Amino acid sequence: MMGPSTLSLVMVQHSSTSSSGGCTKRKQNVQLRNPFASVSMGEEKPFDFLRTLFEGVIAGGTAGVVVETALYPIDTIKTRLQAARGGEKLILKGLYSGLAGNLAGVLPASALFVGVYEPLKQKLLRMFPENLSAFAHLTAGAIGGIAASLIRVPTEVVKQRMQTGQFTSAAGAVRFIAAKEGFKGLYAGYGSFLLRDLPFDAIQFCIYEQIRIGYMAAARRNLNDPENAIIGAFAGALTGAITTPLDVIKTRLMVQGSANQYNGIVDCVQTIIKEEGPSALLKGVGPRVLWIGIGGSIFFGVLEGTKRFLAERRPTPSESQPEKVK
């Protein structure tokens, strides 16, 4: 999950009456302290790319590990429901199967996603006018997803093979897949993964960011953790429901192994509809919406909290750079 960062709206005090240039400039520079300032209604200041990247990596990795650990059993049930063919029964044992190996991939993948997303988002928001902020969020989310997919896909393949009982250890799964299916076996379903995750990441983050912008503008303040969590839950649940058919296709392609039951995405869709009916494309929608909704709440809540924690410990300009003697 990304799926899956914040857009901090900078509240700037504007003078309602004309004033001297010096006074107006001072008022424009008054702003709330924000972890990641991405929309500025006053005088823009250059952002520290390396610091933004570093804080994004730390915050993203932390949020990813917390949400994955908390909600892994729901994800396992969802995967088993989607992988079940015909009248196969759902097995409720070993719901944490594959967690350790999955965390080994979730940590760097989440860190990489947010690490790419945050500085790119800020760069795009400075390039485009405010009325195109949604485009900046969509683009940054998609590019962040592409970068993270290089780690996410092998992790997802191993995790889902373990969740469906094919392997008992992540190391054993990697060795077997590499030996029997080759390196490409670790990237099984890569196309379907991108088909699902790129729109998912872009849509979820865009919904979250846009709602947060509107809420902050109306409230004229930064949001607290419960408010961020509620917005994250709504964005996650809505996006999860929309992308469920893509998730079913991705799961079927990833767990088929060397059997090659499906010959690509189109054949997978046609076979599922022919053999199981169109409703099969919505298998696991309940657990998925529940999992991603709660996950979005936890992810964005932890993400915002971590970013705020890091921002509060930033050195101020006066601390980091001595004043120049004119």
Side-chain angles (χ1 to χ4, degrees):
M1 164 175 350
M2 292 298 95
S5 166
T6 173
L7 179 62
S8 298
L9 181 66
V10 179
M11 299 303 193
V12 182
Q13 294 182 354
H14 290 282
S15 176
S16 59
T17 58
S18 60
S19 58
S20 64
C23 180
T24 301
K25 186 173 182 179
R26 282 194 299 272
K27 287 185 177 181
Q28 288 179 334
N29 287 333
V30 176
Q31 61 183 32
L32 296 177
R33 185 179 181 84
N34 290 279
F36 290 86
S38 51
V39 173
S40 176
M41 294 186 291
E43 182 179 329
E44 288 191 6
K45 296 181 180 180
F47 69 92
D48 188 333
F49 175 83
L50 292 179
R51 179 172 291 277
T52 302
L53 174 64
F54 171 76
E55 293 182 356
V57 165
I58 298 299
T62 301
V65 168
V66 171
V67 73
E68 191 71 18
T69 302
L71 301 179
Y72 195 79
I74 299 177
D75 182 39
T76 299
I77 293 173
K78 181 269 301 181
T79 297
R80 291 177 180 176
L81 282 171
Q82 292 179 341
R85 305 186 67 187
E88 292 180 0
K89 294 182 179 180
L90 176 66
I91 300 174
L92 296 177
K93 293 182 180 180
L95 295 182
Y96 272 98
S97 178
L99 175 61
N102 193 50
L103 290 181
V106 167
L107 176 58
S110 298
L112 180 59
F113 177 88
V114 181
V116 170
Y117 175 82
E118 281 295 346
L120 180 59
K121 176 191 72 176
Q122 293 192 33
K123 181 66 175 178
L124 291 174
L125 286 169
R126 290 166 179 265
M127 292 173 56
F128 297 111
E130 288 187 15
N131 62 346
L132 294 180
S133 63
F135 177 77
H137 300 142
L138 286 168
T139 303
I143 294 176
I146 292 174
S149 69
L150 299 176
I151 301 173
R152 282 181 180 175
V153 173
T155 301
E156 190 80 358
V157 169
V158 172
K159 179 195 75 173
Q160 294 195 335
R161 298 281 187 93
M162 293 184 68
Q163 287 177 329
T164 53
Q166 296 183 34
F167 304 100
T168 57
S169 72
V174 171
R175 287 194 298 267
F176 183 89
I177 293 171
K180 296 295 183 179
E181 303 171 40
F183 180 75
K184 67 178 183 179
L186 292 171
Y187 282 88
Y190 185 74
S192 62
F193 182 90
L194 292 182
L195 180 66
R196 182 203 70 173
D197 273 45
L198 291 191
F200 180 89
D201 291 334
I203 294 171
Q204 182 187 31
F205 274 72
C206 183
I207 291 174
Y208 174 78
E209 301 276 26
Q210 292 298 308
I211 293 177
R212 196 165 186 270
I213 288 175
Y215 195 156
M216 293 177 72
R220 302 190 61 82
R221 59 174 174 79
N222 280 319
L223 305 186
N224 55 41
D225 290 340
E227 290 170 328
N228 289 323
I230 291 172
I231 295 174
F234 176 79
L238 179 59
T239 310
I242 294 172
T243 58
T244 293
L246 301 178
D247 191 46
V248 171
I249 296 168
K250 185 267 309 178
T251 297
R252 292 292 184 90
L253 290 173
M254 281 187 169
V255 303
Q256 68 177 335
S258 57
N260 292 324
Q261 297 165 315
Y262 310 108
N263 185 24
I265 295 173
V266 176
D267 180 62
C268 181
V269 174
Q270 292 175 341
T271 303
I272 291 174
I273 294 177
K274 180 180 178 180
E275 295 181 355
E276 305 171 56
S279 62
L281 291 173
L282 291 176
K283 278 189 173 182
V285 64
R288 177 171 169 79
V289 169
L290 176 64
W291 167 55
I292 297 179
I294 298 174
S297 175
I298 298 173
F299 183 90
F300 285 108
V302 173
L303 188 72
E304 299 294 348
T306 304
K307 287 159 64 175
R308 184 172 59 252
F309 174 83
L310 294 172
E312 290 172 351
R313 280 151 184 78
R314 290 179 188 172
T316 61
S318 60
E319 293 173 347
S320 58
Q321 296 180 355
E323 287 189 17
K324 295 181 179 180
V325 178
K326 295 183 179 180

